[in-house]
Amino acid sequence: MTGLRVDNVVVRYGGAHPVTAVDGVSLTVAPGETVALLGPSGCGKSSLLGAVVGIVDVDAGQVVWDDEDVTDVEVHRRGFGLVFQDGQLFPHRSVARNISFGLEMQRLPATDKRARVLELLELVGLDGLGDRPVTDLSGGQRQRVALARSLAPQPRLLALDEPLSALDADLRGRLAIEVRDILAAAGTAALVVTHDPAEAEVMATRVLRMRDGRLA
Amino acid sequence: MHPRRHRRHLVWWAVAALPLGFLGIFFVWPLLTVLARGLWDGGFDWAGTWAVVVDPRTADALVTTAGLATLGTLGSLALGIPAAYVLYRLRWRGQVTVRAIAAVPFVLPTIVVATAFTALLGRSGPLAFLGWDQTVWAIGLAMVFYNTSVVMRIVGGSWAGLDPRRADAARTLGANRRQAWWHVTVPALAPAVASAASVVFLFCATSFGVVLVMGGTRINTLETEIWLQVNQFLDIRAAAVLSILQLVFVAGILAASAWARRRRERVLGTRTVDGTRPATRSDVKVVVPVLVALGLLLAAPLWALLSRSLKVGDGYGFDHYVALFTDPPRSVLPVSVWQATLNSLTTAVIAASVATGLGLIVASLLARRGRKAAVLDAIVMLPLGVSAVIVGLGMLLTLNRTVLGVDLRGSWWLVPMAQAVVALPLVVRTLVPPARAIDPRMRAAAGALGASPGRVWTRVEWPLLRRPFGLALGFAFAISMGEFGATSFVARPDRPTLPTAIYRLLGRPGAENLGMAFAAAVLLAALTASVMMVSERMRTTVGGDL
């Protein structure tokens, strides 16, 4: 069990104005560890996160999990979870059915699925709200659902892209602590991208700074 | 190239091959054949082409096309601009309902509109004494009936978003009402008016069914001349040359229209304000005449159609409707109108399924913007710039044979395929905005939860596109039900659709046949209008930009 190893990863975007968003970054995340990637907007941290998860193509370098090269493994086979800034909940599904999406993809039996959804609702403090439409939720509640949805299929690694930035300052502070505790309770390795140093300090066990596509 | 990127590229084009193949066979190949027939005759035959171009009939058709389109456009502007003011700039109770009613003509099939105006202005119609039957005035009026709502919507949208403080500013600088109107409001509205005018001009210049039915033998536009050359003079060559002229003509209008649209966007900018104001007592003198004019224009032909469909001898009854179920004499129609209706329904179901199926594929591919998406988008929109008449002619020329081992000669399959080609661009325009409204990161989120690209589509995209898909299906069905231009070329005489059956009935002598034509037109109008009404309920907040 060595966890995640990112090896000299390069991400370039083509088009009229080609840019190198990630310029040879290497890092590791051990199992159970939460690493924060801290940097200003446009420094390439989200591209790096996308490359780790598999939604951004890697132009050079490797993404390795437990000595297995997953660089060319498609996103849905990689077993890495992802939480976006604005949740990206499925508007046509209830809270519970959002959380159970990943479990459906694993074709889990219905009883196990129900149990796991209840367990996660409790973990993120949304007991009893399973049948709500996600459109009725507050911003903070939505991010809790997004977190629960990503944790449900028990990902090997959870990637969080500015998970709290869309929330107001007061809520952000409280939720940062909660997210840390939830991740600790789940025992999942996590990589958090943020531009807020205080948030990084609260959530992460280790903070890496990024600038112009490189680690500082 | 990166191997994963390369594989995605291949998959994308493999999926795109289906709509592209369909358009290749049923649109591009027929279109190229028309072009070739217009220029080649054994070899490059410029002299033969030129002979058709300088034929007096051609000049006559060109002049008539431009003249009628001008007449229809001016008429639509004359009524549409005041209507835009009353229905969009002002606010009053019941306005939304009136807007919806005013939009009704636009969804009616051309053959229904032509039949309704024949009922109004033709022999023994309530306004027959005007002597407008088979004149440009009658055709122009039908075009105004059709296009007033188009002007209303485009100009009204612009007018409602016009900041009233601009005119106020002019007033504080010493301009009187009239000067403020001329120097501030008119220039601000001009681009929208120009844009509406070019769109309406295009619709008028390509309105085939109305001219064919109402023009009789005397009035011919480029489109009806193409039809006559094929069906009466059996001169394919001349029809092909005329088609090229028509394509050039339409391309010119489209270029002007694109130019006007760019200007409109520049003048309006991105800022929109609420420039509407509640109607006051002093507005009555504008509101009432406009509403009366709109009401008369809308109600008169439809009322004439309905009442004449019920008129039997000196009284009223359902005889003409009953006659729709009986077999008429072979010389009139080879099958009953009811059978033609069933043909139309079957055809429209197939055409709508093909068009929306392909449209859904295209919309999914266009969801992510990019260079290859732009290419596909442009190709799929091409049929919009080519008149349905030319699509029909091209299919008649190319597909009346064995293709890939399938004998298509006289096959009724050509009818739904032609209609699907006509409907596809509108289906795509209905589905692309909602497809693009789905955040790509939502797909990424589903992928990260273990959903393969296929399951992302079935579990996330499809549920979100289901309602727009229903809307597009209804649109496509209504378009196919009423489609006349292309259908009139490829429908077999012994298997008429409802519109071609109505056309046949209108052309046969006898009050019975005319009465049946009116009843059939009412049936067609009721069918299309109800389908449109049901599918409009599917419109969501992210709905299409029609």
Side-chain angles (χ1 to χ4, degrees):
Chain A
M1 292 284 278
T2 54
L4 176 76
R5 199 180 80 234
V6 170
D7 229 359
N8 266 311
V9 159
V10 175
V11 174
R12 291 192 195 94
Y13 294 113
H17 305 283
V19 281
T20 303
V22 180
D23 194 6
V25 170
S26 301
L27 59 83
T28 58
V29 181
E33 189 187 24
T34 299
V35 173
L37 270 175
L38 181 65
S41 66
C43 73
K45 57 192 192 301
S46 288
S47 296
L48 176 59
L49 196 73
V52 169
V53 177
I55 57 172
V56 168
D57 289 330
V58 174
D59 289 276
Q62 281 185 324
V63 178
V64 181
W65 181 266
D66 281 356
D67 298 325
E68 176 204 355
D69 183 356
V70 296
T71 317
D72 284 323
V73 174
E74 302 227 41
V75 52
H76 64 282
R77 298 214 173 87
R78 222 175 265 202
F80 293 172
L82 176 63
V83 176
F84 283 110
Q85 176 180 346
D86 48 1
Q88 292 299 333
L89 301 180
F90 306 126
H92 57 294
R93 288 172 162 247
S94 65
V95 168
R97 295 199 59 231
N98 260 280
I99 297 175
S100 70
F101 187 91
L103 306 173
E104 288 169 32
M105 295 301 124
Q106 294 180 342
R107 301 185 197 278
L108 218 63
T111 46
D112 297 2
K113 218 157 51 187
R114 249 191 317 272
R116 178 84 179 131
V117 169
L118 290 177
E119 192 182 314
L120 279 151
L121 280 171
E122 198 189 322
L123 180 68
V124 298
L126 293 175
D127 321 50
L129 297 186
D131 293 330
R132 287 274 191 92
V134 290
T135 41
D136 283 3
L137 302 180
S138 70
Q141 286 173 323
R142 284 182 198 209
Q143 280 314 82
R144 287 169 209 255
V145 176
L147 192 61
R149 182 178 71 174
S150 295
L151 286 171
Q154 291 173 308
R156 307 190 277 190
L157 171 96
L158 187 62
L160 302 105
D161 192 356
E162 303 270 6
L164 306 175
S165 301
L167 309 174
D168 59 58
D170 183 38
L171 186 59
R172 207 156 60 210
R174 277 186 291 134
L175 213 53
I177 298 168
E178 270 189 53
V179 170
R180 181 191 63 195
D181 295 345
I182 290 169
L183 288 175
T188 311
L191 188 59
V192 189
V193 154
T194 176
H195 65 272
D196 181 350
E199 212 173 280
E201 285 302 334
V202 173
M203 281 196 279
T205 41
R206 189 150 59 89
V207 178
L208 303 172
R209 279 159 212 281
M210 204 171 161
R211 191 169 196 94
D212 295 332
R214 294 166 183 276
L215 287 185
Chain B
M1 198 188 285
H2 194 282
R4 266 170 74 193
R5 231 172 269 175
H6 191 66
R7 193 167 66 231
R8 270 203 306 269
H9 222 62
L10 284 179
V11 170
W12 196 95
W13 282 112
V15 177
L18 200 61
L20 288 176
F22 171 81
L23 281 178
I25 294 177
F26 294 108
F27 176 70
V28 177
W29 181 30
L31 182 66
L32 292 178
T33 307
V34 171
L35 294 181
R37 281 296 280 272
L39 297 172
W40 265 267
D41 197 3
F44 187 71
D45 178 25
W46 178 244
T49 307
W50 188 245
V52 179
V53 172
V54 295
D55 190 287
R57 284 191 71 96
T58 306
D60 194 41
L62 253 176
V63 170
T64 310
T65 307
L68 270 177
T70 308
L71 188 67
T73 307
L74 289 178
S76 304
L77 291 176
L79 184 56
I81 294 174
Y85 179 76
V86 169
L87 290 176
Y88 285 82
R89 179 72 158 177
L90 298 180
R91 274 199 316 268
W92 38 279
R93 270 209 317 190
Q95 182 181 39
V96 177
T97 314
V98 177
R99 273 188 210 167
I101 294 170
V104 163
F106 199 65
V107 303
L108 290 178
T110 56
I111 191 81
V112 170
V113 175
T115 312
F117 274 89
T118 305
L120 181 69
L121 301 168
R123 221 179 316 148
S124 55
L127 293 186
F129 65 88
L130 290 175
W132 279 13
D133 193 22
Q134 303 200 356
T135 65
V136 287
W137 306 113
I139 299 174
L141 200 61
M143 287 173 170
V144 173
F145 175 87
Y146 239 114
N147 292 303
T148 296
S149 67
V150 179
V151 176
M152 212 173 72
R153 232 180 302 179
I154 297 176
V155 178
S158 187
W159 212 334
L162 207 62
D163 197 336
R165 283 172 305 179
R166 276 207 225 167
D168 293 343
R171 296 293 299 280
T172 63
L173 294 168
N176 64 26
R177 261 179 198 286
R178 183 177 306 230
Q179 285 167 320
W181 159 257
W182 271 112
H183 293 291
V184 178
T185 309
V186 170
L189 283 182
V193 173
S195 155
S198 55
V199 170
V200 171
F201 194 85
L202 180 69
F203 285 155
C204 291
T206 55
S207 72
F208 169 69
V210 166
V211 182
L212 188 69
V213 171
M214 298 177 66
T217 48
R218 282 181 290 166
I219 300 167
N220 278 312
T221 58
L222 280 173
E223 302 225 331
T224 60
E225 186 66 21
I226 293 168
W227 192 86
L228 276 183
Q229 290 292 350
V230 172
N231 288 290
Q232 307 240 314
F233 307 127
L234 305 175
D235 189 345
I236 302 290
R237 183 73 206 284
V241 175
L242 289 165
S243 300
I244 296 177
L245 283 180
Q246 165 75 357
L247 283 172
V248 173
F249 193 78
V250 167
I253 306 170
L254 284 177
S257 152
W259 177 77
R261 196 168 48 242
R262 270 200 306 278
R263 280 204 31 187
R264 176 165 65 134
E265 277 155 12
R266 206 176 312 146
V267 169
L268 273 181
T270 49
R271 203 171 64 103
T272 49
V273 297
D274 180 15
T276 60
R277 64 172 176 85
T280 59
R281 191 169 290 274
S282 64
D283 291 315
V284 169
K285 61 181 185 292
V286 185
V287 172
V288 170
V290 166
L291 289 186
V292 168
L294 265 183
L296 281 178
L297 180 70
L298 249 67
L302 296 179
W303 172 250
L305 178 67
L306 188 62
S307 75
R308 289 191 69 184
S309 75
L310 292 166
K311 195 156 170 75
V312 185
D314 288 332
Y316 288 91
F318 287 97
D319 300 29
H320 296 315
Y321 289 90
V322 174
L324 299 183
F325 294 91
T326 59
D327 281 330
R330 288 285 308 175
S331 61
V332 177
L333 260 187
V335 297
S336 69
V337 174
W338 177 242
Q339 184 56 50
T341 310
L342 293 181
N343 291 346
S344 265
L345 289 170
T346 321
T347 310
V349 166
I350 297 167
S353 311
V354 170
T356 36
L358 293 173
L360 194 61
I361 294 173
V362 173
S364 301
L365 293 174
L366 294 188
R368 198 184 292 242
R369 290 169 202 270
R371 214 175 321 164
K372 52 184 194 281
V375 171
L376 179 65
D377 197 0
I379 294 173
V380 172
M381 283 300 123
L382 273 182
L384 215 54
V386 176
S387 127
V389 167
I390 298 172
V391 173
L393 172 64
M395 286 180 73
L396 189 71
L397 293 184
T398 43
L399 298 170
N400 238 334
R401 68 172 87 171
T402 306
V403 177
L404 305 172
V406 183
D407 187 6
L408 288 172
R409 261 169 308 174
S411 164
W412 65 274
W413 269 99
L414 290 184
V415 181
M417 292 308 128
Q419 294 173 348
V421 168
V422 173
L424 184 60
L426 293 165
V427 167
V428 168
R429 283 278 77 87
T430 310
L431 289 176
V432 165
R436 284 196 170 148
I438 301 172
D439 197 313
R441 291 175 308 156
M442 191 179 290
R443 294 188 196 97
L449 290 166
S452 62
R455 295 178 97 190
V456 171
W457 196 88
T458 54
R459 298 297 185 94
V460 178
E461 286 192 59
W462 169 241
L464 294 172
L465 287 176
R466 210 156 35 193
R467 285 174 70 87
F469 181 82
L471 178 68
L473 194 67
F475 277 169
F477 185 83
I479 291 167
S480 307
M481 278 297 292
E483 211 289 325
F484 183 63
T487 307
S488 63
F489 281 86
V490 287
R492 280 193 327 207
D494 63 331
R495 203 172 190 285
T497 64
L498 190 47
T500 61
I502 294 171
Y503 176 67
R504 287 270 298 234
L505 287 170
L506 286 172
R508 296 289 177 273
E512 290 308 308
N513 292 333
L514 203 54
M516 270 172 74
F518 294 146
V522 171
L523 177 64
L524 178 56
L527 281 172
T528 35
S530 48
V531 169
M532 289 300 281
M533 243 152 40
V534 170
S535 47
E536 273 294 335
R537 284 165 180 259
M538 298 281 182
R539 196 184 279 283
T540 53
T541 42
V542 283
D545 57 352
L546 271 172

